[in-house]
């Protein structure tokens, strides 16, 4: 399974590998892009084997040529480690693969659809190669997975019908609720990413009755930065510390313009924080009836929603309960069971693919 240490794919990959381990499936984690921290490496090693490759992530590559060596590296590792299946956490990682093993690719995000949702513009010419290699990667996969119906619709609007498409919602492991709730608002994201819309919640913090804390990376691998002016900027925190903050937060807010799923909102729901979310299709799909929604381009709407939850504790408790129930339904056990079905479907598709190749020869 490919992972990276930069964003949510790390959490997704480790939680998935841990769930698969309980189901009797051994996972070799292959980390691409910037290397993991010491703490991340130790966490991964407690689950299984991790191998770091000096290959870039697609969104950090300058051109498609930077990604050419990856297919050979993955094929060599698959052979060396005697794996039965490749689980790739980006369609681009299937580009140019000639592997006879089943290939499952999960789309956690997509640069062209990010441009559509965040910048409201097509991908510029110098980045158009992303669409080409994503399309080829999707076509080479024996099964394609998205974490939401909304993102599945985004992919098919961009790349056409994907016949082997499966929707498997993400999951996170619940943590013990030891902390008492405190009167503050928590926002979590890679704030250098314009898609996380950090400026909206920073401006909303001017008018909220409770202080707003923003946790998450503020400097991108390429040097883009974000600095909060009104909210308390906490920076990137260890995962355990972050979950403790969520357990203490009375309200969680996400102003994202683009979320194929939104793991942080799910973590917050598990932690019984009331949710204030941007009014985008993914959040409506997952949290309708369990959150308050605000237009992502209106900081005042976020402040108004937050202040309503502060002033109406009965409403806050009701939404917390609904969100917690939804979060419990998105369990790691359900996610792993669904992925095992996808792996089985991919294995059957790969067998058919090999048979077709033999007949044609």
């Amino acid at each position: 399974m490919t992972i990276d240490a930069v964003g949510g794919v790390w959490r997704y990959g480790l939680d998935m590998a841990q769930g698969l381990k309980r189901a009797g499936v051994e996972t070799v984690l292959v980390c691409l892009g910037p290397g993991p921290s010491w703490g991340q490496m130790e966490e991964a090693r407690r689950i299984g084997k991790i191998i770091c490759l000096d290959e870039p992530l697609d969104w950090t590559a300058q051109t498609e040529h930077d990604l050419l060596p990856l297919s050979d590296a993955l094929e060599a590792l698959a052979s060396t480690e005697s794996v039965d299946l490749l689980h790739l956490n980006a369609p681009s990682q299937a580009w140019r693969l000639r592997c006879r093993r089943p290939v499952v690719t999960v789309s956690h995000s997509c640069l062209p659809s990010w441009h559509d949702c965040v910048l409201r513009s097509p991908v510029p010419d110098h980045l158009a190669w992303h669409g080409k290699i994503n399309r080829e990667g999707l076509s080479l996969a024996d099964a394609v997975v998205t974490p939401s119906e909304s993102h599945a619709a985004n992919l098919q609007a961009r790349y056409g019908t994907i016949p082997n498409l499966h929707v498997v919602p993400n999951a996170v492991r619940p943590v013990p609720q030891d902390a008492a709730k405190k009167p503050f608002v928590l926002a979590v994201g890679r704030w250098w990413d314009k898609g996380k819309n950090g400026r909206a919640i920073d401006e909303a913090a001017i008018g909220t009755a409770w202080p707003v804390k923003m946790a998450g990376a503020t400097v991108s691998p390429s040097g883009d930065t974000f600095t909060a002016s009104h909210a308390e900027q906490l920076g990137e925190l260890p995962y355990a510390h972050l979950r403790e903050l969520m357990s203490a937060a009375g309200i969680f807010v996400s102003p994202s313009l683009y979320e194929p799923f939104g793991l942080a909102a799910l973590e917050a729901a598990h932690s019984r924080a009331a949710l204030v979310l941007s009014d985008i299709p993914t959040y409506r799909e997952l949290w309708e009836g369990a959150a308050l929604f605000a237009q992502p381009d209106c900081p005042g709407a976020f402040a108004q929603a937050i202040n309503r939850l502060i002033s109406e504790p009965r409403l806050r408790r009701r939404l917390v309960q609904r969100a917690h129930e939804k979060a419990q339904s998105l369990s790691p056990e359900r996610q792993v069971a669904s992925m095992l079905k996808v792996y089985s479907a991919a294995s059957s598709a790969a067998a058919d693919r090999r048979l077709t190749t033999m007949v044609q020869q």
Side-chain angles (χ1 to χ4, degrees):
M1 181 191 300
T2 56
I3 56 172
D4 69 73
V6 180
V9 173
W10 179 266
R11 189 81 270 130
Y12 167 90
L14 266 61
D15 284 350
M16 176 64 70
Q18 191 169 59
L20 290 170
K21 185 176 182 179
R22 287 194 292 267
V25 178
E26 180 183 355
T27 303
V28 178
L29 297 167
V30 180
C31 189
L32 309 177
S37 67
W38 179 87
Q40 287 176 313
M41 284 293 290
E42 288 301 300
E43 183 183 17
R45 285 174 178 146
R46 286 194 291 270
I47 297 170
K49 186 173 185 177
I50 179 169
I51 298 169
C52 295
L53 291 183
D54 188 21
E55 303 292 346
L57 301 167
D58 55 6
W59 56 273
T60 66
Q62 297 299 309
T63 72
E64 61 192 281
H65 300 292
D66 296 338
L67 303 179
L68 283 173
L70 180 59
S71 58
D72 288 340
L74 290 176
E75 288 165 11
L77 268 180
S79 178
T80 301
E81 299 295 329
S82 300
V83 304
D84 300 302
L85 178 144
L86 277 74
H87 174 141
L88 308 178
N89 276 310
S92 62
Q93 294 166 7
W95 181 53
R96 297 292 179 92
L97 270 181
R98 299 174 300 277
C99 188
R100 293 174 59 83
R101 294 171 173 81
V103 176
V104 174
T105 183
V106 183
S107 176
H108 296 279
S109 63
C110 162
L111 186 65
S113 63
W114 182 94
H115 268 264
D116 291 341
C117 295
V118 177
L119 302 182
R120 306 290 182 185
S121 66
V123 174
D125 290 345
H126 73 282
L127 295 175
W129 56 269
H130 281 268
K132 182 185 76 172
I133 67 170
N134 282 342
R135 184 176 287 106
E136 183 174 335
L138 291 168
S139 68
L140 288 172
D142 297 299
V144 176
V145 175
T146 69
S148 65
E149 297 284 358
S150 302
H151 189 51
N154 280 341
L155 282 187
Q156 296 195 103
R158 169 61 60 173
Y159 301 110
T161 301
I162 304 172
N164 55 348
L165 182 61
H166 307 260
V167 175
V168 179
N170 288 345
V172 296
R173 289 178 287 107
V175 296
Q177 292 294 113
D178 296 328
K181 288 297 180 185
K182 297 179 181 178
F184 71 89
V185 180
L186 180 66
V188 177
R190 297 187 310 271
W191 298 116
W192 49 264
D193 178 353
K194 291 180 181 178
K196 299 303 180 186
N197 198 23
R199 194 56 57 203
I201 191 58
D202 184 41
E203 292 181 13
I206 300 172
T208 58
W210 287 356
V212 176
K213 302 175 185 285
M214 298 180 71
T218 57
V219 182
S220 78
S222 60
D224 296 323
T225 61
F226 172 86
T227 303
S229 300
H230 309 288
E232 180 183 354
Q233 190 165 299
L234 303 177
E236 195 165 9
L237 302 174
Y239 185 65
H241 186 184
L242 185 61
R243 294 298 295 267
E244 288 174 4
L245 265 179
M246 284 186 172
S247 295
I251 297 171
F252 172 86
V253 60
S254 172
S256 293
L257 299 166
Y258 177 74
E259 285 288 357
F261 182 82
L263 274 175
L266 177 57
E267 291 168 339
H270 270 299
S271 298
R272 295 184 179 274
L275 304 180
V276 175
L277 306 173
S278 55
D279 197 350
I280 58 175
T282 304
Y283 280 155
R284 281 287 182 179
E285 173 190 340
L286 296 168
W287 302 107
E288 185 74 61
L292 293 187
F293 296 92
Q295 288 301 314
D297 59 351
C298 184
F302 282 100
Q304 184 178 15
I306 290 167
N307 287 336
R308 183 184 175 193
L309 287 179
I310 293 170
S311 63
E312 298 183 37
R314 290 181 63 184
L315 171 64
R316 189 165 77 244
R317 288 193 295 270
R318 185 165 68 249
L319 292 180
V320 163
Q321 183 59 30
R322 290 177 181 174
H324 189 254
E325 289 169 359
K326 282 179 176 280
Q328 287 180 309
S329 72
L330 299 173
S331 67
E333 293 78 16
R334 176 181 170 183
Q335 182 190 30
V336 168
S338 296
M339 284 303 300
L340 289 174
K341 291 178 181 178
V342 172
Y343 291 169
S344 179
S347 297
S348 296
D352 292 343
R353 169 167 52 86
R354 289 192 296 268
L355 180 60
T356 301
T357 301
M358 289 172 61
V359 171
Q360 291 174 345
Q361 291 175 343

